[in-house]
Amino acid sequence: MPTSASHGPALDLTADSVAITQAICDVPSVSGDERALADLIVDALAGAAHLEVIRDGDTIVARTNLGRDRRVVIAGHLDTVPINGNVPTRFETIDGQRYLWGRGTVDMKAGVAVQLKLALELTAPIVDVTWMWYDHEEVSAELNGLGRLARHRPDLFAGDFAILGEPSNGQVEGGCNGNLRVELRAYGLRAHSARSWVGENAIHKLAPALERLASYEPATVEVEGLEYREGLNAVGITGGIAGNVIPDEAMLHVNYRFAPSRTVAEAIEHVAGLFPEYELTVVDEAEGARPGLDAPLAQQFVRAVGAEARPKYGWTDVARFSALGIPAVNFGPGDPLKAHADDERVACDQILSCERALRAWLIGAA
């Protein structure tokens, strides 16, 4: 294998997309540590005369400038959640199906591998393409490389349609749910636990909120023909001072995944209405994205993939494109249920089929 003096083994984008997936998964790139992989990608694209390559930190943009009348943005993130004994990757066969096992195989380096291979090989697609590979997707929104790029170079986001390589089992998933995280606080009066009757237990005061959450029935909301399932859940709880002290403060962390028919403001109003007796602090918010499947390019893409579009339940960066007025869908190999799992693995056939579908659409053969 060829090597790069500064980065170790070079990235061979002429290999098949399964081999590229393994190669980039074996370069650890937990959020904040994407530099080595970004360097390899820049080096691998250096000789591609049909691409203009731009770098912003550890985000890389490679775009064609062929004068086509339409432009598509195709993006994927380079980072992963922390590794837990699942790098380096390995191949395994389950029920006759060959899988690539390891961190990042599903979320979302298989999608990135497909994009990298096509970016290098497709010198004359039927649309101009802006390829984006970005850092810091798996952490807080203010660090997101796509958001940073939008602030630094908004011109690079010009496009008529966008595809995000999030795992979708090789199907098209339109839009995404919004995401809201809040903290609910209850207050009491501190006292010695031996004389608890003179205090007020703040932890106990969270009991009604927990009961409300346990009995809450989340809605399924139809938006432009797709049904988005909502979710409202406690995801953390803190409180307590010492083993012999009645606590005077406790906090319940609540996550609300809401259909893209709601705005963030409406989502906050909904949650606040469910818990009126608690102090509520918003700690994270993200608008959802409507499906955008009425766009002609989106319809052409769904036909090319040959499947019925589905909703995306988790929040993804398609919402960033939607906020810019660009219809966007999720499309990539991998079962979303295996994202972030310790046994994260992707079917090799699915990587290849996603490559074939995207290639056919971009060259007009679908």
PDB file of all heavy atoms in Angstrom, residues 56 59 61 132 134 144-158 320-321 323-324:
ATOM      1  N   ASP A  56     -11.656  23.888   5.519  1.00  0.00           N
ATOM      2  CA  ASP A  56     -11.949  24.790   6.629  1.00  0.00           C
ATOM      3  C   ASP A  56     -11.769  23.978   7.907  1.00  0.00           C
ATOM      4  O   ASP A  56     -12.631  23.165   8.260  1.00  0.00           O
ATOM      5  CB  ASP A  56     -13.383  25.326   6.531  1.00  0.00           C
ATOM      6  CG  ASP A  56     -13.726  26.313   7.636  1.00  0.00           C
ATOM      7  OD1 ASP A  56     -13.920  25.867   8.788  1.00  0.00           O
ATOM      8  OD2 ASP A  56     -13.782  27.512   7.361  1.00  0.00           O
ATOM      9  N   THR A  59     -12.910  20.276   8.019  1.00  0.00           N
ATOM     10  CA  THR A  59     -13.989  20.085   7.053  1.00  0.00           C
ATOM     11  C   THR A  59     -13.433  20.282   5.655  1.00  0.00           C
ATOM     12  O   THR A  59     -12.699  21.237   5.408  1.00  0.00           O
ATOM     13  CB  THR A  59     -15.137  21.076   7.314  1.00  0.00           C
ATOM     14  OG1 THR A  59     -15.804  20.709   8.524  1.00  0.00           O
ATOM     15  CG2 THR A  59     -16.140  21.081   6.181  1.00  0.00           C
ATOM     16  N   VAL A  61     -14.301  20.411   1.464  1.00  0.00           N
ATOM     17  CA  VAL A  61     -15.279  20.569   0.387  1.00  0.00           C
ATOM     18  C   VAL A  61     -14.565  20.277  -0.924  1.00  0.00           C
ATOM     19  O   VAL A  61     -13.456  20.758  -1.160  1.00  0.00           O
ATOM     20  CB  VAL A  61     -15.855  21.996   0.368  1.00  0.00           C
ATOM     21  CG1 VAL A  61     -16.792  22.177  -0.823  1.00  0.00           C
ATOM     22  CG2 VAL A  61     -16.575  22.307   1.673  1.00  0.00           C
ATOM     23  N   MET A 132     -19.175  17.460   0.660  1.00  0.00           N
ATOM     24  CA  MET A 132     -18.741  18.027   1.936  1.00  0.00           C
ATOM     25  C   MET A 132     -18.515  16.905   2.946  1.00  0.00           C
ATOM     26  O   MET A 132     -19.387  16.053   3.141  1.00  0.00           O
ATOM     27  CB  MET A 132     -19.819  18.973   2.513  1.00  0.00           C
ATOM     28  CG  MET A 132     -20.053  20.234   1.719  1.00  0.00           C
ATOM     29  SD  MET A 132     -21.349  21.251   2.518  1.00  0.00           S
ATOM     30  CE  MET A 132     -21.260  22.737   1.500  1.00  0.00           C
ATOM     31  N   TYR A 134     -17.322  16.694   6.971  1.00  0.00           N
ATOM     32  CA  TYR A 134     -17.162  17.669   8.042  1.00  0.00           C
ATOM     33  C   TYR A 134     -16.918  17.009   9.406  1.00  0.00           C
ATOM     34  O   TYR A 134     -17.185  15.822   9.611  1.00  0.00           O
ATOM     35  CB  TYR A 134     -18.371  18.604   8.090  1.00  0.00           C
ATOM     36  CG  TYR A 134     -19.719  17.935   8.320  1.00  0.00           C
ATOM     37  CD1 TYR A 134     -20.307  17.916   9.568  1.00  0.00           C
ATOM     38  CD2 TYR A 134     -20.410  17.337   7.256  1.00  0.00           C
ATOM     39  CE1 TYR A 134     -21.550  17.323   9.772  1.00  0.00           C
ATOM     40  CE2 TYR A 134     -21.635  16.745   7.453  1.00  0.00           C
ATOM     41  CZ  TYR A 134     -22.210  16.735   8.709  1.00  0.00           C
ATOM     42  OH  TYR A 134     -23.423  16.138   8.900  1.00  0.00           O
ATOM     43  N   ASN A 144     -20.215  21.997  15.453  1.00  0.00           N
ATOM     44  CA  ASN A 144     -20.458  21.279  14.209  1.00  0.00           C
ATOM     45  C   ASN A 144     -19.743  21.940  13.034  1.00  0.00           C
ATOM     46  O   ASN A 144     -19.902  23.128  12.767  1.00  0.00           O
ATOM     47  CB  ASN A 144     -21.973  21.239  13.961  1.00  0.00           C
ATOM     48  CG  ASN A 144     -22.350  20.387  12.778  1.00  0.00           C
ATOM     49  OD1 ASN A 144     -22.088  20.739  11.638  1.00  0.00           O
ATOM     50  ND2 ASN A 144     -23.000  19.271  13.041  1.00  0.00           N
ATOM     51  N   GLY A 145     -18.956  21.141  12.308  1.00  0.00           N
ATOM     52  CA  GLY A 145     -18.179  21.669  11.195  1.00  0.00           C
ATOM     53  C   GLY A 145     -19.031  22.182  10.057  1.00  0.00           C
ATOM     54  O   GLY A 145     -18.640  23.122   9.353  1.00  0.00           O
ATOM     55  N   LEU A 146     -20.196  21.594   9.855  1.00  0.00           N
ATOM     56  CA  LEU A 146     -21.084  22.075   8.804  1.00  0.00           C
ATOM     57  C   LEU A 146     -21.628  23.457   9.165  1.00  0.00           C
ATOM     58  O   LEU A 146     -21.721  24.344   8.305  1.00  0.00           O
ATOM     59  CB  LEU A 146     -22.226  21.078   8.605  1.00  0.00           C
ATOM     60  CG  LEU A 146     -22.914  21.065   7.241  1.00  0.00           C
ATOM     61  CD1 LEU A 146     -21.938  20.744   6.132  1.00  0.00           C
ATOM     62  CD2 LEU A 146     -24.064  20.070   7.253  1.00  0.00           C
ATOM     63  N   GLY A 147     -21.975  23.623  10.436  1.00  0.00           N
ATOM     64  CA  GLY A 147     -22.430  24.938  10.881  1.00  0.00           C
ATOM     65  C   GLY A 147     -21.338  25.986  10.777  1.00  0.00           C
ATOM     66  O   GLY A 147     -21.588  27.132  10.375  1.00  0.00           O
ATOM     67  N   ARG A 148     -20.113  25.587  11.130  1.00  0.00           N
ATOM     68  CA  ARG A 148     -18.979  26.515  11.020  1.00  0.00           C
ATOM     69  C   ARG A 148     -18.748  26.915   9.570  1.00  0.00           C
ATOM     70  O   ARG A 148     -18.519  28.094   9.252  1.00  0.00           O
ATOM     71  CB  ARG A 148     -17.722  25.857  11.592  1.00  0.00           C
ATOM     72  CG  ARG A 148     -16.490  26.781  11.642  1.00  0.00           C
ATOM     73  CD  ARG A 148     -15.248  26.040  12.105  1.00  0.00           C
ATOM     74  NE  ARG A 148     -14.818  25.044  11.150  1.00  0.00           N
ATOM     75  CZ  ARG A 148     -14.847  23.733  11.382  1.00  0.00           C
ATOM     76  NH1 ARG A 148     -15.286  23.255  12.528  1.00  0.00           N
ATOM     77  NH2 ARG A 148     -14.430  22.876  10.449  1.00  0.00           N
ATOM     78  N   LEU A 149     -18.820  25.943   8.673  1.00  0.00           N
ATOM     79  CA  LEU A 149     -18.618  26.230   7.254  1.00  0.00           C
ATOM     80  C   LEU A 149     -19.703  27.172   6.730  1.00  0.00           C
ATOM     81  O   LEU A 149     -19.414  28.064   5.925  1.00  0.00           O
ATOM     82  CB  LEU A 149     -18.620  24.926   6.458  1.00  0.00           C
ATOM     83  CG  LEU A 149     -18.258  25.049   4.978  1.00  0.00           C
ATOM     84  CD1 LEU A 149     -16.799  25.454   4.814  1.00  0.00           C
ATOM     85  CD2 LEU A 149     -18.538  23.735   4.245  1.00  0.00           C
ATOM     86  N   ALA A 150     -20.934  26.980   7.206  1.00  0.00           N
ATOM     87  CA  ALA A 150     -22.022  27.862   6.766  1.00  0.00           C
ATOM     88  C   ALA A 150     -21.773  29.304   7.198  1.00  0.00           C
ATOM     89  O   ALA A 150     -22.150  30.245   6.491  1.00  0.00           O
ATOM     90  CB  ALA A 150     -23.352  27.359   7.318  1.00  0.00           C
ATOM     91  N   ARG A 151     -21.120  29.479   8.351  1.00  0.00           N
ATOM     92  CA  ARG A 151     -20.791  30.833   8.812  1.00  0.00           C
ATOM     93  C   ARG A 151     -19.626  31.421   8.025  1.00  0.00           C
ATOM     94  O   ARG A 151     -19.631  32.605   7.685  1.00  0.00           O
ATOM     95  CB  ARG A 151     -20.456  30.805  10.310  1.00  0.00           C
ATOM     96  CG  ARG A 151     -21.632  30.442  11.209  1.00  0.00           C
ATOM     97  CD  ARG A 151     -21.306  30.647  12.680  1.00  0.00           C
ATOM     98  NE  ARG A 151     -20.232  29.797  13.164  1.00  0.00           N
ATOM     99  CZ  ARG A 151     -20.407  28.578  13.656  1.00  0.00           C
ATOM    100  NH1 ARG A 151     -21.630  28.045  13.712  1.00  0.00           N
ATOM    101  NH2 ARG A 151     -19.383  27.873  14.098  1.00  0.00           N
ATOM    102  N   HIS A 152     -18.617  30.585   7.726  1.00  0.00           N
ATOM    103  CA  HIS A 152     -17.413  31.074   7.053  1.00  0.00           C
ATOM    104  C   HIS A 152     -17.595  31.211   5.538  1.00  0.00           C
ATOM    105  O   HIS A 152     -17.100  32.156   4.933  1.00  0.00           O
ATOM    106  CB  HIS A 152     -16.239  30.125   7.324  1.00  0.00           C
ATOM    107  CG  HIS A 152     -15.789  30.124   8.745  1.00  0.00           C
ATOM    108  ND1 HIS A 152     -14.772  29.310   9.201  1.00  0.00           N
ATOM    109  CD2 HIS A 152     -16.205  30.827   9.828  1.00  0.00           C
ATOM    110  CE1 HIS A 152     -14.594  29.522  10.488  1.00  0.00           C
ATOM    111  NE2 HIS A 152     -15.450  30.434  10.889  1.00  0.00           N
ATOM    112  N   ARG A 153     -18.268  30.219   4.942  1.00  0.00           N
ATOM    113  CA  ARG A 153     -18.399  30.186   3.481  1.00  0.00           C
ATOM    114  C   ARG A 153     -19.826  29.819   3.078  1.00  0.00           C
ATOM    115  O   ARG A 153     -20.077  28.742   2.520  1.00  0.00           O
ATOM    116  CB  ARG A 153     -17.415  29.169   2.896  1.00  0.00           C
ATOM    117  CG  ARG A 153     -15.950  29.547   2.987  1.00  0.00           C
ATOM    118  CD  ARG A 153     -15.598  30.734   2.091  1.00  0.00           C
ATOM    119  NE  ARG A 153     -15.997  30.545   0.708  1.00  0.00           N
ATOM    120  CZ  ARG A 153     -15.227  29.946  -0.220  1.00  0.00           C
ATOM    121  NH1 ARG A 153     -14.027  29.499   0.109  1.00  0.00           N
ATOM    122  NH2 ARG A 153     -15.646  29.824  -1.470  1.00  0.00           N
ATOM    123  N   PRO A 154     -20.804  30.687   3.351  1.00  0.00           N
ATOM    124  CA  PRO A 154     -22.186  30.354   2.977  1.00  0.00           C
ATOM    125  C   PRO A 154     -22.357  30.118   1.490  1.00  0.00           C
ATOM    126  O   PRO A 154     -23.291  29.410   1.075  1.00  0.00           O
ATOM    127  CB  PRO A 154     -22.972  31.573   3.464  1.00  0.00           C
ATOM    128  CG  PRO A 154     -21.964  32.682   3.583  1.00  0.00           C
ATOM    129  CD  PRO A 154     -20.693  32.015   3.976  1.00  0.00           C
ATOM    130  N   ASP A 155     -21.466  30.681   0.667  1.00  0.00           N
ATOM    131  CA  ASP A 155     -21.566  30.493  -0.779  1.00  0.00           C
ATOM    132  C   ASP A 155     -21.421  29.039  -1.192  1.00  0.00           C
ATOM    133  O   ASP A 155     -21.933  28.619  -2.233  1.00  0.00           O
ATOM    134  CB  ASP A 155     -20.501  31.337  -1.486  1.00  0.00           C
ATOM    135  CG  ASP A 155     -19.088  31.006  -1.017  1.00  0.00           C
ATOM    136  OD1 ASP A 155     -18.799  31.198   0.191  1.00  0.00           O
ATOM    137  OD2 ASP A 155     -18.269  30.556  -1.848  1.00  0.00           O
ATOM    138  N   LEU A 156     -20.735  28.251  -0.365  1.00  0.00           N
ATOM    139  CA  LEU A 156     -20.516  26.853  -0.705  1.00  0.00           C
ATOM    140  C   LEU A 156     -21.790  26.008  -0.571  1.00  0.00           C
ATOM    141  O   LEU A 156     -21.831  24.874  -1.039  1.00  0.00           O
ATOM    142  CB  LEU A 156     -19.414  26.255   0.175  1.00  0.00           C
ATOM    143  CG  LEU A 156     -18.013  26.853  -0.004  1.00  0.00           C
ATOM    144  CD1 LEU A 156     -17.040  26.228   0.981  1.00  0.00           C
ATOM    145  CD2 LEU A 156     -17.526  26.660  -1.436  1.00  0.00           C
ATOM    146  N   PHE A 157     -22.802  26.566   0.057  1.00  0.00           N
ATOM    147  CA  PHE A 157     -24.041  25.817   0.276  1.00  0.00           C
ATOM    148  C   PHE A 157     -25.061  26.031  -0.839  1.00  0.00           C
ATOM    149  O   PHE A 157     -26.174  25.509  -0.753  1.00  0.00           O
ATOM    150  CB  PHE A 157     -24.651  26.198   1.627  1.00  0.00           C
ATOM    151  CG  PHE A 157     -23.912  25.598   2.796  1.00  0.00           C
ATOM    152  CD1 PHE A 157     -22.705  26.134   3.220  1.00  0.00           C
ATOM    153  CD2 PHE A 157     -24.404  24.491   3.462  1.00  0.00           C
ATOM    154  CE1 PHE A 157     -22.017  25.593   4.283  1.00  0.00           C
ATOM    155  CE2 PHE A 157     -23.715  23.932   4.521  1.00  0.00           C
ATOM    156  CZ  PHE A 157     -22.520  24.474   4.940  1.00  0.00           C
ATOM    157  N   ALA A 158     -24.689  26.772  -1.854  1.00  0.00           N
ATOM    158  CA  ALA A 158     -25.603  26.959  -2.981  1.00  0.00           C
ATOM    159  C   ALA A 158     -25.933  25.602  -3.590  1.00  0.00           C
ATOM    160  O   ALA A 158     -25.042  24.799  -3.876  1.00  0.00           O
ATOM    161  CB  ALA A 158     -24.964  27.871  -4.018  1.00  0.00           C
ATOM    162  N   ARG A 320     -30.060  21.604   8.648  1.00  0.00           N
ATOM    163  CA  ARG A 320     -29.257  22.787   8.297  1.00  0.00           C
ATOM    164  C   ARG A 320     -29.523  23.196   6.846  1.00  0.00           C
ATOM    165  O   ARG A 320     -29.600  24.389   6.526  1.00  0.00           O
ATOM    166  CB  ARG A 320     -27.775  22.506   8.511  1.00  0.00           C
ATOM    167  CG  ARG A 320     -27.416  22.231   9.968  1.00  0.00           C
ATOM    168  CD  ARG A 320     -25.917  22.056  10.136  1.00  0.00           C
ATOM    169  NE  ARG A 320     -25.604  21.649  11.501  1.00  0.00           N
ATOM    170  CZ  ARG A 320     -25.469  22.509  12.510  1.00  0.00           C
ATOM    171  NH1 ARG A 320     -25.579  23.804  12.308  1.00  0.00           N
ATOM    172  NH2 ARG A 320     -25.195  22.063  13.728  1.00  0.00           N
ATOM    173  N   PHE A 321     -29.644  22.199   5.968  1.00  0.00           N
ATOM    174  CA  PHE A 321     -29.946  22.512   4.574  1.00  0.00           C
ATOM    175  C   PHE A 321     -31.377  23.021   4.430  1.00  0.00           C
ATOM    176  O   PHE A 321     -31.637  23.972   3.692  1.00  0.00           O
ATOM    177  CB  PHE A 321     -29.716  21.282   3.703  1.00  0.00           C
ATOM    178  CG  PHE A 321     -28.280  20.869   3.604  1.00  0.00           C
ATOM    179  CD1 PHE A 321     -27.796  19.774   4.298  1.00  0.00           C
ATOM    180  CD2 PHE A 321     -27.387  21.598   2.837  1.00  0.00           C
ATOM    181  CE1 PHE A 321     -26.469  19.399   4.216  1.00  0.00           C
ATOM    182  CE2 PHE A 321     -26.050  21.234   2.749  1.00  0.00           C
ATOM    183  CZ  PHE A 321     -25.589  20.131   3.448  1.00  0.00           C
ATOM    184  N   ALA A 323     -33.081  24.653   6.567  1.00  0.00           N
ATOM    185  CA  ALA A 323     -33.152  26.031   7.061  1.00  0.00           C
ATOM    186  C   ALA A 323     -32.652  27.027   6.023  1.00  0.00           C
ATOM    187  O   ALA A 323     -33.028  28.201   6.044  1.00  0.00           O
ATOM    188  CB  ALA A 323     -32.339  26.167   8.347  1.00  0.00           C
ATOM    189  N   LEU A 324     -31.806  26.556   5.096  1.00  0.00           N
ATOM    190  CA  LEU A 324     -31.300  27.411   4.024  1.00  0.00           C
ATOM    191  C   LEU A 324     -32.187  27.367   2.780  1.00  0.00           C
ATOM    192  O   LEU A 324     -31.847  27.946   1.750  1.00  0.00           O
ATOM    193  CB  LEU A 324     -29.883  26.975   3.649  1.00  0.00           C
ATOM    194  CG  LEU A 324     -28.809  27.162   4.742  1.00  0.00           C
ATOM    195  CD1 LEU A 324     -27.514  26.469   4.341  1.00  0.00           C
ATOM    196  CD2 LEU A 324     -28.565  28.642   4.991  1.00  0.00           C
TER     197      LEU A 324
END
